[in-house]
Amino acid sequence: MSSVLKKIPELLKISGRLHFVGLFLITFLILFLRWGYQYGSGDQVEILPYALKIQNPDLYINDLFINHLSDTPFNQRWAIGHLLSWFGEGIKIGTYVLFLVTLYFLILGLYRIARFFNLGIWSAFLFVLVALLFSQGWSPGGNDLYSPTFIPDSVAKPLLVWALYFFLNRLKTHSFLLIGFATLFQPLMGFQMFVLVGLSDLIGNRNILNSAKNTIAYMLAGGWLFGVLMISYFSGVSEVEMPQLFEIYFGFRAPHHFLPSYFMGAYSYVFFLVLGLALLYFYDRLPEIFWFLIVLLVGCIVYAVGVEVFHSTTIASTQWFKV
């Protein structure tokens, strides 16, 4: 009898793992039935050839864009390109495997965050479904949490979700290391998360020494790439005048990512309503998250004014609503 009782904790752990695997399969099936799986489209049009070019330099010798990426030692596609290049001829299967693995950790991270707030098993599962399913299409800036194709965001977002989970549990160094790793795959998104977490932690705790230590951890893990890209960005000289550049790139090419006047529809009001309610909820409960949301909100306001009123290409390039 005593031997059976000793095995109960182990059996409960196994049961818990199987339980979550079941939740993952259900969530994946729902997402697959709704959006399917896409390969060779969207951002992969530039990522897959770049990965193949890394593996075989003789490919795409007349493609100016792919050759430009290959000739640039560190670029925004550097990490994802080298990751996919490891699969060689099995890149199609490798991409799908990575899609499943990253989706698994995204779902698990969201589930852990829900459980952190003392939600029950099924309430946490419902939270994951709402976050992945019903938030699609109404995120300001067109940056959904889930993507039906494997892109740099697919790696960065699970890392950032887990970084937030560790931040909630006051494991700050773990959080900043993961944000650094995410920056390797999505430099802009990673840096934005670093600003949000870094400032909210500094304001909430006012510990400059710890903030410096966390910044070093972030830079060593991957934040250095953002610095390299910024040096390259500001050292480049454009032959197009700034007003023209703003209209061509931000107004014509991708207004759904950059211009609040373009993407601030009815769904955006839901976003800000949820943000307002969250501020009221976290005010006395979790100061770090309260300041996290304050920095996020101030950033949105500064970005909107800088882009819509002053047509600043520098502010538009931050794409603040991406976070």
Side-chain angles (χ1 to χ4, degrees), residues 199-217:
L199 284 180
S200 58
D201 182 48
L202 180 60
I203 296 171
N205 295 305
R206 300 180 181 179
N207 191 320
I208 297 177
L209 185 61
N210 278 342
S211 294
K213 181 187 70 174
N214 292 331
T215 299
I216 292 173

Side-chain angles (χ1 to χ4, degrees), residues 105 132 169 242 286:
F105 282 103
L132 294 176
N169 284 278
M242 284 302 176
L286 284 172

Side-chain angles (χ1 to χ4, degrees), residues 4-194:
V4 174
L5 292 175
K6 289 180 180 179
K7 291 182 179 180
I8 289 178
E10 184 178 347
L11 292 172
L12 288 175
K13 288 183 180 179
I14 295 173
S15 176
R17 294 192 193 102
L18 292 175
H19 170 262
F20 181 78
V21 170
L23 294 181
F24 168 74
L25 291 175
I26 293 172
T27 305
F28 172 73
L29 180 62
I30 294 173
L31 293 172
F32 181 78
L33 291 175
R34 176 61 181 86
W35 284 286
Y37 170 72
Q38 299 173 13
Y39 178 81
S41 61
D43 288 351
Q44 285 190 357
V45 170
E46 62 184 59
I47 295 170
L48 295 176
Y50 175 49
L52 294 172
K53 178 77 172 177
I54 294 172
Q55 181 196 8
N56 183 0
D58 294 328
L59 293 175
Y60 310 110
I61 57 176
N62 295 318
D63 191 308
L64 296 177
F65 179 78
I66 298 301
N67 280 281
H68 173 71
L69 283 179
S70 299
D71 294 339
T72 306
F74 298 106
N75 57 73
Q76 68 272 25
R77 305 298 193 195
W78 173 74
I80 194 73
H82 281 79
L83 175 62
L84 291 176
S85 70
W86 294 342
F87 292 100
E89 295 181 358
I91 192 171
K92 189 171 185 178
I93 297 176
T95 300
Y96 185 65
V97 171
L98 288 174
F99 170 78
L100 291 177
V101 171
T102 53
L103 178 59
Y104 175 85
F105 282 103
L106 175 63
I107 293 173
L108 180 59
L110 292 171
Y111 180 80
R112 287 288 183 87
I113 289 175
R115 295 287 283 169
F116 173 85
F117 290 106
N118 298 317
L119 292 182
I121 293 175
W122 290 108
S123 296
F125 176 54
L126 181 62
F127 166 80
V128 173
L129 282 180
V130 170
L132 294 176
L133 261 175
F134 300 103
S135 66
Q136 293 292 104
W138 66 266
S139 172
N143 301 288
D144 296 320
L145 191 57
Y146 168 76
S147 172
T149 184
F150 183 76
I151 54 177
D153 292 29
S154 304
V155 182
K157 288 176 180 176
L159 289 171
L160 295 178
V161 165
W162 278 95
L164 182 59
Y165 173 74
F166 285 129
F167 184 65
L168 288 169
N169 284 278
R170 303 186 184 281
L171 297 171
K172 305 294 178 62
T173 303
H174 295 68
S175 179
F176 280 91
L177 285 172
L178 288 182
I179 296 171
F181 292 140
T183 304
L184 291 175
F185 291 91
Q186 240 301 352
L188 195 57
M189 188 183 297
F191 181 74
Q192 289 174 345
M193 189 68 165
F194 166 70

